[in-house]
Amino acid sequence: MKLYCLSGHPTLPCNVLKFKSTTIMLDCGLDTTSVLNFLPLPLVHSPRLSKLPGWVSKDGTLNLEKELKECAGRVFVDSQPEFCLPEKELLDLSTIDVILISNYHCMMALPYITEHTGFTGTVYATEPTLQIGRLLMEELVNFMERVPKAQSATCWKNKEIQRMLPGPLKDAVDVWTWKRSYSMQEVNSALSKVQLVGYSQKVELFGAVQVSPLSSGYSLGSSNWIIQSHHEKVSYVSGSSLLTTHPQPMDQSSLKNSDVLILTGLTQMPTANPDGMLGEFCSNLAMTIRAGGNVLVPCYSSGVIYDLLECLYQFIESANLGTTPFYFISPVANSSLEFSQIFAEWLCHNKQSKVYLPEPPFPHAELIQTNKLKHYPSIHGDFSSEFRQPCVVFTGHPSLRFGDVVHFMELWGKSSLNTIIFTEPDFSYLDALAPYQPLAMKCVYCPIDTRLNFHQVSKLLKEVQPLHVVCPEQYTQPPLTQSHRSDLMLELQPPPMPYRRCSVLNLPFRRRYERVYIMPELANSLVPSEIKPGISLATVSAVLHSKDNKHTLQSVPKPPPVPPSKKRKRVIEEPPVVLAPKPLLSGAVPLEAFLATLQKHGITEVKVEETADGHILHLQAEDTLIQLEEDGTHIVCDNNEPLVEGQDFPNHSNI
Amino acid sequence: RSCILVSIGGKNIMLDCGMHMGYNDDRRFPDFSYITQNGRLTDFLDCVIISHFHLDHCGALPFMSEMVGYDGPIYMTHPTKAICPILLEDFRKITVDKKGETNFFTSQMIKDCMKKVVPLNLHQTVQVDDELEIKAYYAGHVLGAAMVHIKVGSESVVYTGDYNMTPDRHLGAAWIDKCRPDILISESTYATTIRDSKRCRERDFLKKVHESIERGGKVLIPVFALGRAQELCILLETFWERMNLKAPIYFSTGLTEKANHYYKLFITWTNQKIRKTFVQRNMFEFKHIKAFDRSYADNPGPMVVFATPGMLHAGQSLQIFKKWAGNEKNMVIMPGYCVQGTIGHKILNGQRKLEMEGRSTLDVKLQVEYMSFSAHADAKGIMQLIRMAEPRNMLLVHGEAVKMEFLKGKIEQEFSIDCYMPANGETVTVTTNPSVPVDISLNLLKREMALGGPLPDPKKPRTMHGTLIMKENSLKLVSSEQALKELGLNEHQLRFTCRVQLQDPHSDTDTLHRIYTHLKSVLKGYTIQHLPDGTVMVESIVIKVSSSTEDPNTKVLLLSWSYQEIYIYL
């Protein structure tokens, strides 16, 4: 069993597991941190961004002013933002049989994997994962396509040139694999390969392996996966959460007794408490509004935003914000809000019971009904005429490089009354803000990452007791910035097996047994005998049938009766048909009991002679010699019929 | 009504717990004393599964769990769990508050009963205990209707509940995978009907409603609050929109708004089209259909009223029916099946004079139309499901005996499987033939598969030998050598040697060689070897020659074989 690691990002994993004759891809996360190296894509013409100076190396030998721009002391690529794809060279992607998706954030690279690679397999995901994943992809494509950029910068990627560039561009890895966004057509084609699954549904793969998604508690429809055969079990843990937010709670007990547990998607903010962050978010928001400023919340269109809105729903009245407009701007804002209400089965118990009443599970329905929350597909159109300040705007993309958020940065960045509150943990906020510097607006960083922290995960592992743990190398050492915090890493016995991008791990796994089914007819014909207390043996002779990786044992068919022929055949001309079971003998023949049995059969004249290894019995009347030894019996006689049958041997196991 | 008890692999499962709506006495509920005379149901039943929210499938549930007493798990889908208590409460109100009956379950009992419910998701494999697992499939029929696959070890049963194999205006079609159950328990409401296409029926329905409205008549459509009602509402709504009709459409009781809300929240359970477009336009927000008030029934002019319940056995639909029955301009359209004993059943059978409570009679002059909109599978659909699931045995329930008999014949003929149709209270025993799962050592399996070649040859089956070790609950199949090794036993060699004397003047070696050539000529197809150590081997039988000490012409032939070989060659 092997694990191919195609992504180095611990929360956006992409691994391939080869297990029994199947090749299973576990998630295909798209590392979007690469976009931080690019200039923002403004929705309306930005004089500031269009007047940036091109970059020329200090000695003037390198001139890339068309591709690279200097902005606020850093160099950015002036091109459509590109993403860092999972490794494509490590193995042939067309050999992948299935892709298992754990949550909608971890499927963003799907079109790169399933399209134009010869992939012919199936993708498994839950319904919310598919629907919300589709929305996020649609949003991404929309963000890119509505501000098309003609030029595509490639010169800077040249190894020789990249070496000369200032950081962080100089240190960016695998820049040649960076790709622009896919098209909607590719998204649709990729998603048409998705087959929906429900929690705890058992999906058979080619009869060899069974996979099953388990609730992971992180987001709507998010799952961990169990990949097992009858004798081996691999657990794949991706973004999971033990906090009570909106999704169904995490199923922990089903992870027990794994041979290997692949652990990814731990919190990216191990030191930030989500509840504390939520409190800070609310108080900063209220403070800014009261002072007459606007609040900008760059966020994804699904996920934590539901919790933020729920929190605000309770907070608005008490904080006297009843008249403040809340805007949610995204091409998929409406869909995201609507979809969140129809997945009752995937929600936590509290929300489920609301649906039984019947009431919408999320209170944002009421916020919309009372006009406190308004959603718009973009800043163009209705929004521009209905927009009132001061207000709170939720909009994407959290990287601040594309989407409507770019416009609000340009609009509000100059005033210190306004505040930007970062809630998504995927991007470093300083890097995200870099091209907007100098900035007057206040910045508040309240990353809310509900995924498991190190404390929770070590407790979990203690409980489920996997034999081996595989995890990204980042989890085996403390974070670079907090190297003294040995509590911010995984310490296990045996130590976890770390992986990084392009690793190929041999998982410590020996398969010893496989499942076969004995057909009823054969089962009835078996004669078990008890060998030791509680242990019985039976010899089995059967015909093995293997079909679709399922094995059955059937009785040996009886040969058709030989048709009576006129000619007397002296000898059998056919080669022998192996029919009768091959008996198995064990143990030794006890002398006294054997003699008694012989006597019972009327054989009395027995001369016993002791030898080095046992005895020789001379049956004088029959002129037969029987040699009894510890591990063998030899009968020598004159006539053709052997004297005693095997089963007459006392205390002698005929298995 | 449905209430089936299945015993499989030592587990007892109750499938549905329905109520008969034609009766008002004890016969209304299933006879639970049939299950266990003394002792609690909880001890006897491992779980109860409810397929959908219709009262003939769940109506007796609070009676069973709270009045007879059952505390074990009750499984149903989320929509069923949401809607079922409302219908139960509705029914309770009619029975107790209106008819003043006692010995019926209370509101609190319904609530307590629902607390025992464990919600079930589609395709989720629920492990009831270590051995019993259940899995739900989409059944169409009504919102949240499910079929269940019940599995214990290698034995399994599929229970369909009520299902529908053709998608309609608001629900999708039932689907199940090729799970090859030992028994498929299918409803057979429409066992003999092969219904014409849905479009024709819809056109027919709209034509009848339209004609009646045109001549100023009132149309009563008795429905259950949830299910068919929504489909017909969608149908009329779009028709009214298209034809620009003005006659009012009403939907009785406060359930409407609420019922439609359930459809909005459980939109994932409706059909593909509604699910795809729900963000832009929710199909369950009606423009033309308004809430009904009792006083509207006497309003002049045409109108269409949807009223509950569907079989005209009680409640508002019956009240309206009584008011409108005397006018031949009016029409009642029965969109579903009616249980024997209900007024719905009587008028469908052409009865024109009805005996009402209090000895009065009612003349039925209005037009009575039957439109089979209730979403059950027809004969074709049942056959289609059998083809999907490939059961080994078939069991028909929830239908009329004569019709079932016909279908049974058809099933036995087409699929050559046994088909049963037990009456209420009857027990059917079906013997299964389960195979025994065993763990085979990978070494043995791989060796065997390598020897067998890449493709199996049906003419020359290869026999595999191994030893089955039975220890506690594990069954392991390993090679004989490994079995001995694992158990710390030594193999015991048992050999036989037979002396045969014959007269032959040649030397020992010559005699042996002659035997060799002779055997070679008669035993074709066997491996015969002349070994340099002075032995001949036929397969694994050893032949040696030695001269007698007294007479050199008397040769002693030693034939030696091991015990195992007799078994192989004889």
Side-chain angles (χ1 to χ4, degrees), chain B residues 409-430:
Chain B
K410 251 187 102 173
I411 291 170
E412 287 178 341
Q413 186 195 341
E414 188 162 326
F415 300 102
S416 13
I417 54 174
D418 285 335
C419 183
Y420 306 85
M421 34 173 290
N424 268 353
E426 197 181 319
T427 305
V428 175
T429 310
V430 179

Side-chain angles (χ1 to χ4, degrees), chain A residues 127 199-202 231 334-335 338-339 341-345 352 355-361 511-520 523 526 528 531-532 534-544 546 551 553 556-557 571 573-578 580-589 623 629-640 642 646-647 652 654-655, chain B residues 78-79 81-82 86 119 121-125 127 133 135 258 261-262 264-269 275 278-280 433-443 445-446 448-449 461-472 476-478 480 482-484 486-500 522-526 539 558 560-561 563-564 567-569:
Chain A
E127 182 162 12
Y199 286 149
S200 314
Q201 180 177 347
K202 294 175 178 169
H231 298 94
N334 186 22
S335 300
E338 289 284 340
F339 268 110
Q341 307 285 20
I342 65 160
F343 291 125
E345 283 100 321
Q352 265 179 15
V355 176
Y356 295 154
L357 293 178
E359 273 172 25
R511 291 181 49 221
R512 296 181 57 209
Y513 287 98
E514 179 62 271
R515 182 56 58 94
V516 294
Y517 292 89
I518 298 189
M519 296 313 279
L526 296 181
I531 271 301
K532 285 179 182 175
I535 303 174
S536 299
L537 297 188
T539 40
V540 179
S541 287
V543 178
L544 175 72
S546 299
H551 312 289
L553 289 178
V556 181
V571 277
E573 279 164 1
E574 293 281 302
V577 185
V578 183
K582 191 176 164 185
L584 185 63
L585 302 176
S586 73
V589 181
D623 196 16
E629 280 169 22
E630 189 62 35
D631 56 357
T633 301
H634 194 174
I635 302 173
V636 186
C637 64
D638 265 349
N639 56 10
N640 287 328
Q647 49 266 45
H652 187 205
N654 180 2
I655 304 160
Chain B
H78 284 275
K81 185 181 174 187
I86 294 174
N121 293 345
L122 281 186
H123 300 170
Q124 172 192 20
T125 311
Q127 213 72 44
E133 60 178 51
K135 180 178 178 183
K258 225 172 165 185
H261 214 111
Y262 280 117
K264 283 184 219 165
L265 292 174
F266 287 113
I267 209 118
T268 51
W269 288 79
R275 283 159 56 175
F278 91 103
V279 176
Q280 290 79 39
N433 225 350
S435 52
V436 184
V438 159
D439 297 335
I440 188 172
S441 107
L442 209 59
N443 288 339
L445 182 72
K446 281 198 170 154
E448 192 57 30
M449 286 173 64
R462 258 193 56 82
T463 308
M464 180 182 103
H465 300 287
T467 300
L468 191 64
I469 307 177
M470 291 165 245
K471 192 172 159 187
E472 281 149 16
K476 280 195 295 185
L477 184 62
V478 297
S480 305
Q482 196 188 335
L484 291 176
E486 264 181 41
L487 297 171
L489 301 172
N490 292 325
E491 183 163 10
H492 190 89
Q493 293 286 340
L494 177 56
R495 280 197 84 78
F496 297 96
T497 302
C498 193
R499 288 188 296 246
V500 180
V522 291
L523 295 175
K524 295 212 167 69
Y526 287 80
E539 298 286 332
L558 290 170
S560 181
W561 66 93
Y563 177 57
Q564 277 88 348
Y567 272 82
I568 293 170
Y569 296 111

Side-chain angles (χ1 to χ4, degrees), chain B residues 50-100:
Chain B
I50 303 295
S51 65
H52 64 283
F53 59 65
H54 278 161
L55 292 178
D56 56 338
H57 290 261
C58 70
L61 195 60
F63 174 77
M64 184 204 70
S65 74
E66 305 310 308
M67 296 173 80
V68 180
Y70 169 74
D71 298 322
I74 302 169
Y75 291 96
M76 53 177 87
T77 65
H78 284 275
T80 309
K81 185 181 174 187
I83 295 164
C84 159
I86 294 174
L87 296 189
L88 286 170
E89 179 59 28
D90 228 38
F91 180 69
R92 192 198 65 79
K93 269 193 203 142
I94 291 175
T95 331
V96 179
D97 298 351
K98 290 228 173 103
K99 292 194 191 158

Side-chain angles (χ1 to χ4, degrees), chain B residues 25-71:
Chain B
D25 50 23
D26 280 350
R27 288 175 294 173
R28 170 163 53 203
F29 295 128
D31 183 6
F32 294 107
S33 65
Y34 183 84
I35 300 176
T36 160
Q37 294 291 345
N38 33 32
R40 291 159 44 73
L41 281 179
T42 315
D43 302 330
F44 184 78
L45 289 177
D46 290 283
C47 72
V48 174
I49 304 170
I50 303 295
S51 65
H52 64 283
F53 59 65
H54 278 161
L55 292 178
D56 56 338
H57 290 261
C58 70
L61 195 60
F63 174 77
M64 184 204 70
S65 74
E66 305 310 308
M67 296 173 80
V68 180
Y70 169 74
D71 298 322

Side-chain angles (χ1 to χ4, degrees), chain A residues 202-254:
Chain A
K202 294 175 178 169
V203 181
E204 286 276 337
L205 302 183
F206 318 105
V209 186
Q210 194 181 59
V211 297
S212 179
L214 305 174
S215 175
S216 79
Y218 170 58
S219 61
L220 269 174
S222 70
S223 35
N224 293 321
W225 289 84
I226 299 286
I227 302 121
Q228 62 186 342
S229 65
H230 285 289
H231 298 94
E232 299 86 15
K233 177 170 173 179
V234 179
S235 296
Y236 172 57
V237 175
S238 187
S240 301
S241 177
L242 292 172
L243 295 178
T244 333
T245 57
H246 57 275
Q248 214 181 87
M250 178 182 180
D251 177 354
Q252 300 178 58
S253 58
S254 305

Side-chain angles (χ1 to χ4, degrees), chain B residues 500-520 528-531 534-538 543-548 551-559:
Chain B
V500 180
Q501 294 196 354
L502 55 105
Q503 293 296 319
D504 189 60
H506 298 89
S507 73
D508 292 1
T509 27
D510 283 353
T511 313
L512 192 67
H513 190 74
R514 287 176 59 197
I515 290 169
Y516 170 69
T517 23
H518 178 69
L519 288 174
K520 196 92 181 159
I528 301 170
Q529 291 167 284
H530 192 168
L531 298 174
T535 56
V536 165
M537 287 197 60
V538 180
I543 303 172
K544 271 188 196 172
V545 172
S546 63
S547 306
S548 159
D551 177 7
N553 285 347
T554 309
K555 297 286 187 293
V556 178
L557 225 62
L558 290 170
L559 291 160

